[in-house]
Amino acid sequence: MATQAHSLSYAGCNFLRQRLVLSTLSGRPVKIRKIRARDDNPGLRDFEASFIRLLDKITNGSRIEINQTGTTLYYQPGLLYGGSVEHDCNVLRSIGYYLESLLCLAPFMKHPLRIILRGVTNDQVDPSVDVLKATALPLLKQFGIDGESFELKVVRRGMPPGGGGEVLFSCPVRKVLKPVQLTDPGKIKRIRGIAYSVRVSPQMANRIVDSARSILNKFIPDIYIYTDHMKGVSSGKSPGFGLSLVAETTNGTFLSAELASNPQGQGAAVLPEDLGRNCAKLLLEEIYRGGCVDSTNQSLALLLMTLGQQDVSKVLLGPLSPYTIEFLRHLKSFFQIMFKIETKPCGEELKGGDKVLMTCVGIGFSNLSKTLK
């Protein structure tokens, strides 16, 4: 970890997770002011407070100061400790909100992380656990994070607003990360998916599958969408259904899309047929954007490249999302690292949207608490 570096100061509630995660990895304290200062209900929301409590559980010696109204937060990071943890996530955001940040931190713990997260597994805001399992885990494997204990398992599903889902995530620790050269996405070879339904008729999932296949069959024959109907205690507390689709390419790239039904009592009812069709279209749009990493995991890939050995890493991405652009700015302020960004206009060989080739030299980050075995 870095020595007591000067703290960074930010204003506003946006990108809170990015700032806290990068602060923890770089060892630099961070101060965030004016968190929703002009709002009718000022300060940190419950789901953000829950995220800060989670960081406190997986680190050792973190100092967190929040003022009375919750509009100012000072975070001085401790050492990443890991071990066995349980956490009840806030039901306003899904487990994906918390898991995205855990994926960034888990390889650098002192003890391998084994965490049980409870709350909402699938919602309309954050990436669901299914999508993270299908896309983020293979991405981490490219960087050399793999092993027996590397898994993400949905024990119970929980839909908003009630929640009641449960997820088990375990990850081995690594001393250093491998540099990567992900420059050729390859061609789509198969599409897999999960249509899930909880506390509604199991027929809902079959209707979703039929409508999604009606669109995707025109493009590729190798499509298999599993139906997952959970019953009883493992179905959480609220009814709902949804679909997550993942396209795999010949070079081991995964692109994903997902949709979930409206929460009980909010908005109009969604027909499973419409949901299936719309999700298939979203997947085709993601394939059009292309790249070697899908838009949900762009920032994770860039972070792992930054923390790699002092060697060149390259990755080809689709158009950068606004979240990723802000993440690049944060990487610059926390780690003083700049990426070389080359635009690759879609020529004959690169079908789809314009691509961006990101190149950087890793900072040689090594996990100090992992002793050499």
Side-chain angles (χ1 to χ4, degrees):
M1 292 290 159
T3 50
Q4 187 59 51
H6 66 283
S7 73
L8 291 157
S9 176
Y10 292 103
C13 65
N14 278 348
F15 312 108
L16 178 86
R17 286 180 307 163
Q18 282 188 14
R19 288 164 184 166
L20 295 182
V21 163
L22 290 174
S23 161
T24 311
L25 287 169
S26 63
R28 299 177 68 170
V30 65
K31 184 168 191 175
I32 303 172
R33 294 170 299 110
K34 296 184 183 166
I35 301 174
R36 301 191 181 87
R38 301 192 164 196
D39 208 85
D40 295 341
N41 178 13
L44 289 164
R45 294 279 177 269
D46 290 346
F47 62 87
E48 291 165 334
S50 174
F51 177 72
I52 294 167
R53 275 196 291 277
L54 174 61
L55 274 184
D56 193 37
K57 280 180 190 172
I58 59 171
T59 57
N60 188 4
S62 294
R63 229 177 85 214
I64 301 161
E65 292 167 15
I66 302 172
N67 69 350
Q68 236 168 349
T69 51
T71 51
T72 306
L73 161 72
Y74 176 74
Y75 175 70
Q76 187 179 334
L79 293 169
L80 284 163
Y81 190 74
S84 285
V85 187
E86 290 190 21
H87 184 66
D88 292 324
C89 304
N90 193 280
V91 290
L92 295 172
R93 297 294 288 262
S94 87
I95 290 174
Y97 174 84
Y98 302 87
L99 203 52
E100 272 188 301
S101 300
L102 283 176
L103 287 165
C104 301
L105 297 170
F108 307 106
M109 301 282 174
K110 182 170 184 181
H111 301 289
L113 181 68
R114 182 186 165 81
I115 187 164
I116 294 172
L117 297 165
R118 295 191 183 87
V120 173
T121 53
N122 304 77
D123 72 353
Q124 297 177 315
V125 191
D126 300 293
S128 70
V129 181
D130 305 299
V131 158
L132 288 174
K133 180 177 180 174
T135 58
L137 297 199
L139 178 65
L140 285 166
K141 285 178 184 172
Q142 302 261 22
F143 286 90
I145 302 158
D146 196 4
E148 285 290 298
S149 62
F150 189 41
E151 67 162 346
L152 176 55
K153 192 165 134 201
V154 184
V155 185
R156 297 176 187 167
R157 280 199 189 279
M159 298 292 286
E166 188 176 303
V167 169
L168 170 74
F169 173 56
S170 62
C171 179
V173 289
R174 286 288 170 267
K175 190 160 173 63
V176 285
L177 297 181
K178 290 194 309 204
V180 293
Q181 305 282 329
L182 302 174
T183 50
D184 180 16
K187 290 187 163 39
I188 304 292
K189 67 174 178 183
R190 59 170 166 226
I191 294 174
R192 294 285 178 267
I194 292 184
Y196 56 88
S197 56
V198 289
R199 298 192 173 269
V200 293
S201 157
Q203 203 53 42
M204 291 288 194
N206 300 339
R207 287 164 64 185
I208 294 174
V209 172
D210 290 343
S211 61
R213 290 193 68 126
S214 70
I215 286 187
L216 296 173
N217 268 339
K218 297 172 190 167
F219 298 98
I220 191 171
D222 187 0
I223 301 169
Y224 202 94
I225 303 174
Y226 299 89
T227 54
D228 177 19
H229 179 71
M230 290 212 169
K231 298 189 185 71
V233 74
S234 58
S235 66
K237 297 175 181 169
S238 301
F241 52 86
L243 172 66
S244 62
L245 292 171
V246 176
E248 186 186 341
T249 70
T250 48
N251 289 357
T253 294
F254 294 85
L255 305 168
S256 65
E258 61 174 331
L259 271 182
S261 58
N262 288 332
Q264 185 184 18
Q266 296 171 30
V270 185
L271 275 175
E273 283 79 6
D274 294 347
L275 186 132
R277 272 194 297 272
N278 291 341
C279 190
K281 287 174 186 166
L282 281 175
L283 181 72
L284 295 176
E285 195 177 305
E286 186 66 54
I287 292 170
Y288 175 81
R289 284 197 214 111
C292 293
V293 179
D294 68 344
S295 43
T296 351
N297 296 306
Q298 283 178 351
S299 51
L300 175 62
L302 296 176
L303 175 70
L304 295 172
M305 284 165 68
T306 304
L307 298 174
Q309 297 168 26
Q310 289 178 332
D311 203 345
V312 178
S313 286
K314 286 184 183 181
V315 68
L316 186 75
L317 300 177
L320 298 179
S321 65
Y323 187 79
T324 311
I325 292 167
E326 194 60 40
F327 189 73
L328 286 167
R329 292 184 184 132
H330 281 126
L331 279 177
K332 186 185 172 190
S333 44
F334 279 98
F335 288 111
Q336 291 81 46
I337 189 159
M338 302 270 281
F339 279 77
K340 180 179 168 198
I341 304 177
E342 299 166 74
T343 51
K344 299 269 182 195
C346 57
E348 283 303 305
E349 72 287 346
L350 280 175
K351 299 284 194 291
D354 293 348
K355 310 282 190 289
V356 188
L357 183 65
M358 310 288 288
T359 313
C360 83
V361 176
I363 58 165
F365 185 89
S366 73
N367 184 351
L368 295 180
S369 46
K370 180 171 164 56
T371 50
L372 281 167
K373 291 217 165 54

